[in-house]
């Protein structure tokens, strides 16, 4: 983020700016020429030494002197006046020693340390060197907010001196805003601080909202974000994946998209001799799932093979003591089955050693259990806390043995989430695109238990990850977007609908998009206009909430496009959209005119009654 980007979103506080430009030059001039406080202009003296309420020049959270303190300062004015004069005559050079002498002088005559009031006096004498944030904690907070916002080249504050910190901050603003004078800059430091505070609050609120979507996606594996046009569903989907720190693949469905693009199919291959052959190629989803499975399955298989090798070297069986329950288990290779292990519990009952059979397990079951363990999103030394289905005891015993003795990681790094984003999912012919994957994407059949034979299974190589069937790994999430009002496609297949969770994104859910991009005044107007239009759209026969207008349309009011010109936005976008909504209506023109009246009346703060 650049400082100029923030400044472009801020309108200066004109009244404060004008007061500053009026009083500060007079204050400097009076400090230079007036030896007695009685020679000062009464209003000017009141502004800097006697005013104790509301906002003061060069400070919004102002400090002030009490009446008793003002009397003491006036009594010793002959000591203060020369120091004020010295500073006033040095507009380009900071005078650190004089600052501190004034600070000491005032501290000796005040019941409390009036640091903000002191800083305000000195800052107003040197507007080209010291910034207008006179509250020391607020100044330090400004540095922190700017660094957190990743503004470039932000200096460090001085922990010992407000004057040094103030000078550094103003120098930073002057360097980044080279065409601005000190009087142009005067309101910006505080305004940038407020902007970043609001931005931080919005980001926290946004992250809380995004976390709720993440929880919904993790709980259901498949999620569709649906809602009115312009609610930022695609952007939100990407933000969800980003917040999950996930690997991401993005695809947009359309009427020509099919199974061969998505899962697998035959593709023409030039053999280099002028002949075209056809070869089976993975589709985008299958490639993505291979990427998601490789890290987990490779690590699990390596650990499993180490266990098998150790059992074979130990005459096909070995005992392991597990810290989680202080029990001992005997693992044995089942004769004739290299990929299956028998688990028995070893215990002493009444002084007699007994071996009790628990069951047997294959590698694929351990892998599924490991997927489940990682999905819990926790790191634990006790895999017994987690399970995925039947044969729980055997799975967890072997899983703990693999983590304790055979290097299977105890963290969920290898289980990083993979998010597959499908934009405008309902624009594709879904039965044709998904085929037999209706079963594999079901949240209840993720992993190897949901393995299915694909249409091209007989062409899959023996060493392929999915040689004996395709499945969607536990750590793959499908996140889709759609507009219910898209008339170009038929409704979604009900078999597919029930495999997704559905979350409606309403225009009011995404208002932070406007506050991040538009200045405060334009943002308020945009929200007012959008709410007024959407209220009427919801009441219009044949439309309803699915036809509401989202905040994305109003982002064009930023300075790079229409710069707050609501008329241009109406003419070029909103009116055209509403006419499309009302195509075929007998009273379409009249209804558009009603919408237009609502649009511009709400823009100007008016309300009108519409009779339907």
């Amino acid at each position: 983020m650049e400082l100029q980007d923030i400044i472009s979103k801020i309108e200066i506080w004109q009244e404060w700016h004008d007061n500053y430009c009026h009083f500060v030059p007079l204050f400097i001039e009076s400090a230079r020429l007036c030896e007695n406080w009685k020679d000062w202009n009464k209003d000017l003296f009141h502004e800097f030494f006697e005013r104790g309420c509301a906002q003061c020049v060069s400070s919004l959270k102002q400090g002030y002197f009490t009446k008793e303190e003002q009397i003491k300062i006036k009594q010793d004015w002959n000591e203060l006046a020369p120091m004020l004069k010295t500073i006033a005559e040095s507009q380009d050079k900071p005078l650190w020693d004089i600052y501190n002498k004034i600070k000491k002088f005032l501290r000796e005559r005040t019941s409390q340390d009036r640091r903000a009031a002191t800083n305000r006096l000195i800052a107003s004498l040197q507007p080209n060197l010291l910034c207008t944030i006179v509250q020391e904690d607020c100044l330090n907070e400004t540095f922190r907010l700017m660094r957190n916002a990743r503004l470039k080249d932000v200096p460090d504050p001085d922990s010992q001196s407000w004057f040094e910190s103030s000078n550094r901050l103003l120098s930073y603003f002057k360097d980044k805003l080279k065409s601005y004078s000190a009087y142009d800059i005067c309101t910006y430091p505080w305004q940038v601080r407020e902007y970043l505070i609001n931005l931080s609050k919005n980001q926290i609120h946004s992250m809380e909202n995004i976390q709720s979507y993440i929880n919904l996606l993790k709980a259901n594996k498949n999620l569709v974000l649906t809602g009115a046009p312009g609610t930022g569903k695609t952007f939100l989907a990407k933000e969800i994946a980003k917040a999950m720190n996930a690997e991401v693949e993005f695809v947009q469905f359309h009427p020509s998209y099919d199974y061969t693009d998505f899962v697998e199919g035959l593709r023409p291959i030039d053999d280099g001799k002028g002949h075209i052959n056809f070869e089976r190629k993975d589709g985008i989803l299958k490639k993505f799932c291979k990427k998601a499975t490789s890290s987990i399955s490779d690590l699990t298989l390596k650990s499993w093979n180490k266990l098998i090798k150790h059992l074979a070297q130990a005459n096909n069986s070995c005992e392991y003591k597990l810290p989680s329950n202080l029990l001992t288990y005997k693992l044995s290779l089942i004769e004739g089955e290299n990929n299956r292990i028998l688990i028995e519990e070893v215990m002493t009952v009444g002084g007699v050693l007994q071996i009790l059979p628990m069951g047997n397990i294959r590698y694929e079951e351990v892998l599924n259990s490991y997927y489940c363990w990682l999905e819990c999103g926790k790191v634990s030394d006790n895999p017994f806390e987690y399970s995925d289905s039947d044969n729980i005891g055997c799975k967890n015993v072997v899983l703990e043995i693999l983590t304790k003795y055979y290097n299977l990681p105890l963290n969920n790094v290898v289980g990083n989430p993979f998010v597959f984003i499908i934009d405008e999912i309902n624009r594709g012919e879904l039965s044709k695109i998904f085929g037999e994957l209706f079963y594999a994407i079901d949240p209840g059949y993720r992993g190897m238990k949901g393995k299915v034979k694909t249409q091209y299974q007989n062409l899959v190589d023996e060493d392929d990850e999915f040689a004996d069937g395709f499945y969607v790994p536990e750590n793959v999430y499908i996140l889709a977007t759609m507009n219910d009002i898209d008339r170009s496609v038929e409704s979604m297949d009900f078999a597919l609908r029930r495999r997704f969770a559905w979350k409606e994104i309403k225009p009011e859910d995404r208002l932070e998009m406007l506050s991040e991009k538009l200045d405060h005044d334009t943002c308020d107007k945009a929200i007012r206009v959008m709410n007024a239009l959407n209220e009427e759209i919801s009441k219009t026969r044949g439309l309803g909430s699915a036809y509401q207008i989202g905040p994305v349309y109003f982002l064009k009011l930023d300075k790079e496009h229409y710069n707050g010109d609501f008329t241009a936005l109406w003419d070029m976008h909103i009116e055209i959209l509403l006419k499309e909504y009302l195509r075929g209506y007998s009273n379409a023109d009249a209804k558009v005119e009603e919408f237009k009246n609502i649009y511009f009346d709400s823009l100007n703060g008016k309300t009108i009654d519409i009779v339907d």
Side-chain angles (χ1 to χ4, degrees):
M1 183 182 293
E2 299 282 356
L3 179 63
Q4 187 65 58
D5 296 332
I6 297 176
I7 298 299
S8 68
K9 299 181 178 72
I10 295 174
E11 298 292 338
I12 66 167
W13 289 324
Q14 196 64 50
E15 182 180 0
W16 184 36
H17 174 271
D18 291 347
N19 282 335
Y20 185 88
C21 293
H22 171 71
F23 280 110
V24 168
L26 294 176
F27 180 52
I28 296 171
E29 187 68 11
S30 296
R32 287 178 59 246
L33 300 177
C34 299
E35 296 183 1
N36 193 306
W37 66 269
K38 294 180 181 179
D39 297 334
W40 286 58
N41 174 276
K42 183 177 180 181
D43 291 337
L44 180 66
F45 192 86
H46 172 78
E47 181 66 38
F48 288 95
F49 288 96
E50 298 176 337
R51 189 170 183 175
C53 300
Q55 88 178 36
C56 295
V57 166
S58 78
S59 175
L60 289 182
K61 289 183 73 175
Q62 79 280 10
Y64 60 91
F65 303 108
T66 65
K67 290 183 179 180
E68 293 78 11
E69 292 167 349
Q70 293 168 22
I71 292 172
K72 293 179 181 180
I73 293 170
K74 291 175 181 178
Q75 288 175 345
D76 297 322
W77 188 260
N78 62 321
E79 294 182 42
L80 177 62
M83 292 187 286
L84 298 179
K85 181 178 180 180
T86 301
I87 295 175
E89 290 177 341
S90 177
Q91 289 301 300
D92 297 314
K93 180 182 179 181
L95 302 174
W96 313 115
D97 291 340
I98 303 297
Y99 300 160
N100 288 321
K101 287 180 181 178
I102 293 177
K103 188 175 181 179
K104 181 180 179 182
F105 171 89
L106 293 172
R107 182 67 188 93
E108 291 172 348
R109 289 157 180 81
T110 56
S111 58
Q112 298 180 26
D113 189 358
R114 307 291 182 186
R115 289 180 292 176
T118 303
N119 295 340
R120 181 163 59 90
L121 287 177
I122 297 171
S124 298
L125 284 172
Q126 288 187 320
N128 197 44
L129 297 175
L130 300 171
C131 84
T132 56
I133 303 178
V134 299
Q135 289 281 352
E136 295 184 7
D137 55 346
C138 293
L139 183 64
N140 291 330
E141 182 185 35
T142 303
F143 279 97
R144 178 180 60 78
L145 289 167
M146 291 169 66
R147 287 196 300 271
N148 290 346
R150 298 182 180 177
L151 287 174
K152 295 180 179 179
D153 308 320
V154 176
D156 292 325
D158 188 295
S159 60
Q160 303 298 320
S161 170
W162 174 87
F163 304 110
E164 288 273 9
S165 295
S166 179
N167 178 257
R168 291 178 189 180
L169 187 67
L170 187 61
S171 296
Y172 175 82
F173 272 76
K174 290 168 64 178
D175 178 63
K176 297 298 180 181
L177 308 174
K178 288 184 170 62
S179 63
Y180 289 60
S181 70
Y183 290 95
D184 292 329
I185 292 173
C186 66
T187 71
Y188 283 131
W190 187 277
Q191 287 182 276
V192 167
R193 173 184 175 275
E194 288 211 328
Y195 175 88
L196 293 176
I197 289 174
N198 290 330
L199 181 63
S200 178
K201 289 178 179 177
N202 289 338
Q203 287 174 339
I204 292 172
H205 178 68
S206 177
M207 283 306 301
E208 289 174 349
N209 286 339
I210 286 178
Q211 188 58 51
S212 69
Y213 296 122
I214 291 174
N215 295 340
L216 190 59
L217 179 59
K218 284 190 172 183
N220 295 277
K221 301 291 187 183
N222 309 317
L223 175 64
V224 173
L225 304 177
T226 183
T231 49
K233 297 180 290 295
T234 302
F235 179 80
L236 176 59
K238 293 178 179 179
E239 287 296 296
I240 292 170
K242 181 180 178 182
M244 292 173 68
N245 194 27
E247 292 275 348
V248 180
E249 189 64 70
F250 181 92
V251 65
Q252 188 176 70
F253 279 3
H254 52 78
S256 298
Y257 205 82
D258 65 13
Y259 181 91
T260 61
D261 301 307
F262 194 58
V263 185
E264 62 185 350
L266 297 178
R267 287 288 184 262
I269 302 294
D270 188 343
D271 65 1
K273 299 178 181 180
H275 300 99
I276 299 296
N277 298 322
F278 285 86
E279 184 177 320
R280 188 202 65 82
K281 291 290 185 181
D282 291 335
I284 189 169
L285 178 65
K286 201 168 188 180
K287 289 178 182 177
F288 191 65
C289 289
K290 279 185 177 179
K291 190 176 181 181
T293 61
S294 59
S295 57
I296 298 175
S297 59
D298 284 351
L299 284 169
T300 313
L301 185 59
K302 286 178 182 179
S303 298
W304 174 267
N305 287 338
K306 288 179 182 179
L307 171 61
I308 295 292
K309 183 178 180 180
H310 187 266
L311 293 177
Q313 292 173 344
N315 295 321
N316 293 338
S317 68
C318 193
E319 292 184 0
Y320 298 87
K321 190 173 184 66
L322 298 187
S324 60
N325 57 9
L326 302 179
L327 296 178
T328 299
Y329 295 90
K330 180 180 180 181
L331 271 61
S332 306
L333 292 176
I334 297 178
E335 187 175 352
E337 295 192 41
N338 295 330
N339 199 33
R340 188 180 291 274
I341 293 176
L342 174 68
I343 299 99
E344 298 170 295
E345 188 174 342
V346 181
M347 59 173 39
T348 301
V349 180
V352 179
L353 182 66
Q354 295 188 6
I355 298 179
L356 306 176
M358 288 184 62
N360 57 76
I361 193 169
R362 294 179 300 109
Y363 160 72
E364 287 79 9
E365 293 177 271
V366 176
L367 178 59
N368 272 344
S369 187
Y370 190 52
Y371 276 133
C372 182
W373 186 18
L374 297 175
E375 279 300 307
C376 292
K378 301 177 182 178
V379 176
S380 171
D381 289 339
N382 182 13
F384 278 81
E385 295 179 13
Y386 313 110
S387 59
D388 56 340
S389 60
D390 300 330
N391 207 11
I392 293 171
C394 290
K395 292 177 181 179
N396 288 335
V397 166
V398 174
L399 186 55
E400 185 168 1
I401 289 172
L402 292 178
T403 58
K404 294 297 181 184
Y405 300 100
Y406 296 102
N407 303 323
L408 188 61
L410 262 174
N411 57 67
N412 64 355
V413 173
V414 294
N416 281 347
F418 284 66
V419 176
F420 192 89
I421 298 176
I422 304 174
D423 195 35
E424 300 194 38
I425 188 172
N426 61 327
R427 294 193 67 241
E429 190 176 332
L430 300 180
S431 296
K432 182 178 71 171
I433 294 173
F434 279 89
E436 64 279 338
L437 262 61
F438 275 21
Y439 177 79
I441 68 167
D442 192 301
Y445 294 101
R446 285 295 173 85
M448 291 186 177
K449 60 190 173 188
K451 190 177 294 185
V452 295
K453 301 289 185 180
T454 64
Q455 298 175 32
Y456 298 90
Q457 195 66 50
N458 62 315
L459 299 178
V460 178
D461 294 337
E462 292 183 1
D463 58 351
D464 191 278
E465 180 77 20
F466 302 118
D468 59 345
F470 176 66
Y471 62 91
V472 179
E474 289 278 359
N475 59 326
V476 170
Y477 302 89
I478 298 177
L479 183 55
T481 71
M482 67 172 284
N483 293 326
D484 277 333
I485 66 170
D486 192 340
R487 299 170 180 172
S488 65
V489 294
E490 299 177 356
S491 61
M492 287 183 68
D493 191 303
F494 282 107
L496 193 64
R497 278 184 178 270
R498 70 179 181 84
R499 286 170 167 82
F500 282 82
W502 297 77
K503 176 63 178 177
E504 181 182 4
I505 310 301
K506 301 176 181 178
E508 58 267 26
D509 295 335
R510 305 288 291 139
L511 295 182
E512 68 270 12
M513 299 173 67
L514 298 178
S515 60
E516 290 173 4
K517 295 292 185 180
L518 306 179
D519 64 69
H520 182 74
D521 183 56
T522 304
C523 178
D524 284 348
K525 290 179 180 178
I527 293 173
R528 189 165 66 239
V529 169
M530 184 183 75
N531 289 340
L533 273 179
N534 286 338
E535 182 179 354
E536 186 60 28
I537 288 172
S538 296
K539 297 187 296 184
T540 300
R541 293 190 187 99
L543 296 183
S545 61
Y547 289 79
Q548 290 183 337
I549 297 173
V552 169
Y553 286 95
F554 293 87
L555 292 180
K556 293 187 180 293
L557 292 166
D558 65 6
K559 293 186 178 181
E560 294 181 6
H561 296 88
Y562 297 137
N563 194 24
D565 188 344
F566 281 81
T567 300
L569 181 67
W570 170 265
D571 291 340
M572 303 303 297
H573 300 278
I574 305 298
E575 183 180 30
I576 295 170
L577 179 66
L578 292 172
K579 284 182 176 180
E580 181 64 25
Y581 283 174
L582 296 168
R583 181 184 295 180
Y585 281 59
S586 58
N587 62 340
D589 290 342
K591 193 63 186 177
V592 170
E593 190 63 27
E594 289 180 2
F595 282 130
K596 182 177 182 179
N597 292 335
I598 291 173
Y599 180 94
F600 286 102
D601 284 342
S602 60
L603 175 63
N604 297 317
K606 300 178 183 178
T607 58
I608 60 174
D609 295 325
I610 299 294
V611 180
D612 195 355

